[in-house]
Amino acid sequence: QLQLQESGSGLLMSSQTLSLTCSVSGGSITSGGYSWSWIRQPPGKGLEWIGFIYQSGNTYYNPSLKSRVTISLDRSKNQFSLKLSSVTAADTAVYYCARGDGSSWLIDYWGQGTLVTVSS
Amino acid sequence: QSALTQPASVSGSPGQSITISCTGTSSDVGGYNYVSWYQQHPGKAPKVMIYEVSNRPSGVSNRFSGSKSGNTASLTISGLQAEDEAYYYCTSYTTSSTLNWVFGGGTKLTVL
């Protein structure tokens, strides 16, 4: 059973860089046919895709966040990471890491989510 | 990146059926059979209920079904149960964004 677990800074000040890591167990991030996503949900609001990465290293970002986002893979640790620069209070959200099935375009596994709060 | 359009809320009584719509365009819902539906209970991660418009993952109750007509996809829940009360989100593959993925705004289902 695949499991994903987010970890990283939970409280940030405005203008800092958010850094989160997703540790994957029960499967390899180098398996073909899957994408590895970051999705966020502001308190009381809907889901927003931040971006995703394939095992090839190709990345795809939400155009509204693209200038501030970097998603990367660490194959040796079976992890993938998110960096979001110049955060503001609007970036306060629960951040989920997730696996996408590339053939069916669905998210089949999710992490439990981690709350990141940006304080001004 | 424009979200798919869902009603903000729907409600139904136990045992009844409800349908949640998800409206997009020919660049997403209408053009591809890659619509998925997710259920999210408060404080929990979303869970996939339907994928590829009408397929159910193993373990998902057959009370959940999906369909599509034109640019609108629908999720139908029959025999409503109290445990079905949750938020529901649709997603679709899209060619109108370099991200290739778009969410609906979410629908709160209340079981009366």
Side-chain angles (χ1 to χ4, degrees), chain A residues 8-83:
Chain A
S9 49
L11 180 61
L12 295 170
M13 301 294 290
S14 291
S15 79
Q16 290 186 320
T17 295
L18 179 158
S19 293
L20 295 176
T21 295
C22 183
S23 298
V24 179
S25 59
S28 173
I29 62 170
T30 60
S31 298
Y34 298 107
S35 61
W36 303 94
S37 286
W38 288 99
I39 295 163
R40 71 180 183 179
Q41 185 170 37
K45 296 188 177 181
L47 298 164
E48 179 183 35
W49 235 296
I50 300 170
F52 60 93
I53 187 167
Y54 286 109
Q55 64 92 17
S56 62
N58 289 342
T59 52
Y60 298 80
Y61 299 136
N62 186 325
S64 67
L65 299 170
K66 186 175 183 178
S67 64
R68 300 193 290 130
V69 174
T70 302
I71 296 175
S72 59
L73 291 175
D74 187 334
R75 296 175 181 83
S76 65
K77 294 182 178 179
N78 214 35
Q79 297 175 337
F80 62 106
S81 298
L82 168 70
K83 291 189 184 299

Side-chain angles (χ1 to χ4, degrees), chain A residues 41 49 52 62 96 104 107, chain B residues 1 38 40 52 99 101 103:
Chain A
Q41 185 170 37
W49 235 296
F52 60 93
N62 186 325
Y96 294 100
S104 299
I107 295 290
Chain B
Q1 184 189 23
Y38 300 83
Q40 186 182 34
E52 291 181 335
L99 186 61
W101 234 326
F103 273 113

